[in-house]
Structures are given as structure tokens and as C-alpha cells.
Amino acid sequence: MKIIQRSAPWISIGVLLAQMACQTPTETPSPSTGKATKVSGVVLRSDNGTKVPTVVVRDIKGAPFDTTKADGSFQLTYNIIGSLSTQIVAHRDLFRDDTATIRLREGVDTSGVTLTLKADSTSPITNVSGPPAVIVLVGIDIANISIRGTGMNESALLTFEVRDSLGTPVVGTQRATVKFSILGGPGGGEYVFPAVSQTEPSTGKVFTRIASGTKPGVLQVNATTRGDSVKSGPVRVSIASGLPDSAHFSISMEKVNIPGGVFDNVRSKILVILGDRYGNPVQAGTAIYFKTTGGSIQPFGTTDKDGIASVDIISANPRPIGGIALITAQTVGDTSVRRSDSLVTRTIPILFSGAPRISAPASAGLIQDSGKYQFNYKVSDLNGNPLSAGTNIKVSVAGAGSGDIVLTGDVDRTLIDTRDTNFTNYSVLLTDKTRGGAGGIVDISIDVTSPNGNTSYKFSGVLLSVSGGGTGPGGGVGKPYAIEVNGTPNTKLSVNESGAQSSAATTIQFVVKDSLNNPIIANPLNPSAGKAYVLFSLVPSGGLGGEESVFPSADSTNDYGQVHVVFRSGTKAGLVRLVATTLVAGRPPITSGIDLTISGGFPDSNRITMGLSRQNMPGLVRAGTIGSVQ
């Protein structure tokens, strides 16, 4: 609807009704041919804006028409085809008419049309209300505001309605002047504005705004009129949530250890709780900035109503040195208490644990009949840190000599979420529960199943038995005197950088002999009785630290007194000695060894040097060789 013209003819109600009786809406389509289209609105008076009842509102041609209700509203119904441009007029005696031009479209209702009757001293009083009797709060946009200077909501709009004794809003000539005051508050400079205001003439409503000060607390606002004889109930507004205070800044995380050294996009939630210097949660929406020395982190978080914000730390490059990433949370603080609080920060470490590694003995050696053997082992990542929560470590035994072995100690462990390196060191005790029982090889396995990946480690020993059973040197059968390297094995190896280099492995054969220099050969009547059991180890212990390996770690001689072992180099160059040891009951161990040289890896970009034989060469005037590149 668009109003484009207004007129104000004086006309009596009698003349108006006579016109309506004589005119017919010849230019308005009949209901049988048109579609119902409605026009609705309200009629107000010009002097105080109140709504006027019993006003005749009609189309300028006489029909349709309606009479306004007590709330000044009206509705006209047209039946049109296509579109129509027309005028409507509002009339009531002792007021000057108002006319509006409207444009209608078939089936599309028009609302919100306002007609204003010109009123003067002779116009009757409409919407009469009594004098103010009560003041009621009908609206508040924010019940909790922040102290001044936080940049958050520091004021609240209060809407009151002044009513007479019948509960009718005080309008028209009865409009009231209302004063506002603060009955009590924290005393930080709070104030209301305006302090005095008049009610709206058409609604009886009046507005004021309460502004916070520099202190938190609760204040009460009061509205009064008619010389303070009419009062509102006290309106309570909370002032809280100052700037963040370093003493009320907490940071924590969902997980302290994630397998981020192995996998990307492993996450832990970082939680921050912020309070102001009074211990109240800071204002909702307070921004916190995050950064990390490892992986990736969501940069910003905003607090909720409890002063809590959270973001995710995400495993990715760069991996932190030593596996520990430092996460820092930072926000603007309250310098009114401490100047150093202009930036409030907290830092917390998180562990990006890597792939699992097991460190354990190379051999269990000789376990006496009904004796005990205890060994220590370590499960960690490359940096010596514990693995992630849920990692399971199991120790088991197998082999001919394992039947009477009982395991105690750290046999089956599941890790919690921790950075504590004490959760990398373990110990197991093997006990032979039966004297004269099973004897022979005992294969010990350590198996790790972890979110960081799976790995295992195996080593062997020999359980003696006074009954002479088993494949080990029991019962004194067979008298090994010496152990020697058999043949000429390859002792010059390269570092193993690809994992499948033929030059990184060598097979070495040892032979065990008696005092007459004869190989220890099994007794045909008892083939296992004459075999020697040989253990293999590296010097220095564990090798060079480049994951060198020996397989098997122990084995029995074959029918020719021979035993084979495969040595595989690791990622470090150097000299390592492979030692073979055989045990004879009642005698010192018999040993032999062979030195192995590990050298030469793939080219390294940090170890490539280029040089020219000459810096200035006559290449523009000479053909052929003019210099060399090294």
C-alpha cells in the first residue's frame, strides 16, 4: 500500500450516510466476478496519537466501508480482478477527515494503513483512561550486563507501562511524567538515563536505560510518578563479568598423550576457564587466542556463560622436538589490578608420542632347574616417552622349556593417559615351579598393541633340568670345548636405510667342537642329547643404537655341530662385534666372536660439496675442455 494524497473536507456523519445510501459501487467488480482482497489498518487522532473508535472508514465511492472498533482498527473487503487504485476516507464528527490512496492487487491483502483525524479543542476525548495507579516493568533487553570497559554489553533498556486503577494503560491527556532512580548497587558509578521521561500518549509506555559502573554486583531500579506516590516494584539488574584475571585463568586438556608423532589429525580438546578478579565467569564471548609449538591448533575460542572456551589441538607437521608440544592460551586481562595482566597467558604441554619401541635383553641365558630369572624391559617411543592410553603390553613364553615357567610382574599392562616416563619401565620374573621337570629352550615374547602402532620383541634362554630332558645342555651329555666361526662370512656391511638392502645383512655360521677339535654331533640313539645351545649377543650391548638385529637370538646346533645366525645392520655406521656363547653345566661359558664393519649410507644433502677447478674460464672463445667440476 502506498499513500500518495490526503484531503480533509469537513462533512457531517448524516451527509456521509446519505451519500453511502445513494451511491452504488459501479466501478468495483461484483463478488461473483472478483476475488476477495482485504485492506486493514487503524485510525489515530492527531493531538495525542491515541486510537479513535466509531470512525467510519469507506471507499471514496461509498463501498466497501467499516466502523473502527474500540482499538481504532478497521477492515475493508474488496472483490477485484487484476488491480485497482482507489481512495479511502476516515470520518467522525468534530474531527477533520483523512484520506489515503491505496493500490490493490487481486487476492493480495494490504495491512498497516494508518489514517489520522485532525483534532482540535472541540473534538471529543477518546480512549479515556484514569490517572496513574501502578507502574509495571514490561520489558528488559538484557538482565545481566558487564562492568564498564570490557567492551561487552554495559547497559540495559528498561520498558515500563503506567496503568490506571483498572489496569488500562494511561494514554492521551493522562500521560504521566515518570522519574527513575537507583535504589542500591555496588557503587561503581552506575546511572540511569534519562532520569525523567513522559509516557507515550498512545501506549502509556516509558523507557530508561541503566548503565553499569566499574564494580560488579546487583542494583535495583525504581520508577515513580504523581509525586512519588505511585511506584514500580524494584527491578534487579546484575553487573558482573569483568576482564580476565591471571589468578582466575585455568587451562587443561582432554588427553595429555596422543599418538601425534605417528599419525596426522589426532586431536585433543584444550579447555580454558576464565574468571574476573572477583571470581565471576568473564562475559560470554570473551575471545582467547591459542598457539602451539607442534602440530596445528584452532586459533580462537570464545567463552560461554560459564567462562569456558575450548579448541582442538591437531597432530600434524611440525612434530615437536622431543615429542612435547607447548600450547599457549592468551587473552587481554584486567590492568586495574596488575599492569602485567594486559596480556594474560597460560601454557600447557602435550605429548605427541611416536611409534612403539621395545628394549629388552638379547638373551635370557641359562635358567637353573627350579630357579628364577628376572629381566627388565622398556616400552616407549623413540624419545623415551610413554605410549598413548590404551596401549597393551603382554609378556609370554613358549618352547620346550616353558611348560613349568610361571610369569609374574609386568606381564599384562594397559597404559593410562600420561606423560610420566615411569610408565616406560617394566620387570618380569620367570620361575621354574617344578624341580626336574621340563627343560630346554624358553622363548620369551613381548608384544605391544597400541594406538601408536604394534610391535614385538623375542629373545630366548635355556631352562636346565636334572633329568637331562630337553634340547639344552642338560645331564652333562656332550662336552663343548670351543666355538668357532665357520668359513669366511661377509663382515663389511652398509647401513640399512631402505629396509631391504642385501649389503645390510650377513649370515654367519659357528661350529661347536669338543676338546679333540671334533664337531659336537648328536648321539644317534638320543639325537637331542648331544646338541649344544648357542646364545648370540652384540658388543656394545644392543649394538650401535641404529636398530641392528640378530636372528635368532639363540639356537641349537644341527647334526653337524653347526649353528647359523643372521646379522642385519641398522641406520648407524660403526664397528660392532657379534658374540656366540654356549653354556656347559659346571663350566664357564664358552664364547667366540666376529667383528663387523658397517659403513656407507645413501648420499646426504648436508654432506655434498661441489667445486670448480677454475672460477673464470674462456668459454666464450674456446671449444673443448676448459675446466672440471668436482
Side-chain angles (χ1 to χ4, degrees), residues 592-609:
S592 179
I594 184 171
D595 292 330
L596 305 170
T597 303
I598 305 171
S599 62
F602 291 135
D604 179 39
S605 61
N606 294 319
R607 292 175 172 82
I608 296 178
T609 303

Side-chain angles (χ1 to χ4, degrees), residues 361-367 398-399 440-444 457-463 471-473 483 510 532-538 549-558 562-566 578-583:
S363 170
L366 196 63
I367 306 171
I441 297 176
V442 177
D443 296 317
I444 304 170
Y457 182 88
K458 299 180 186 296
F459 62 102
S460 301
V462 176
L463 174 64
T471 60
I483 183 169
F510 290 88
Y533 187 72
V534 182
L535 308 174
F536 302 103
S537 61
L538 295 177
S549 64
V550 175
F551 182 83
S553 59
D555 201 0
S556 298
T557 55
N558 59 22
Q562 300 168 345
V563 63
H564 298 77
V565 63
V566 176
L578 174 64
V579 177
T581 303
T582 185
L583 304 173

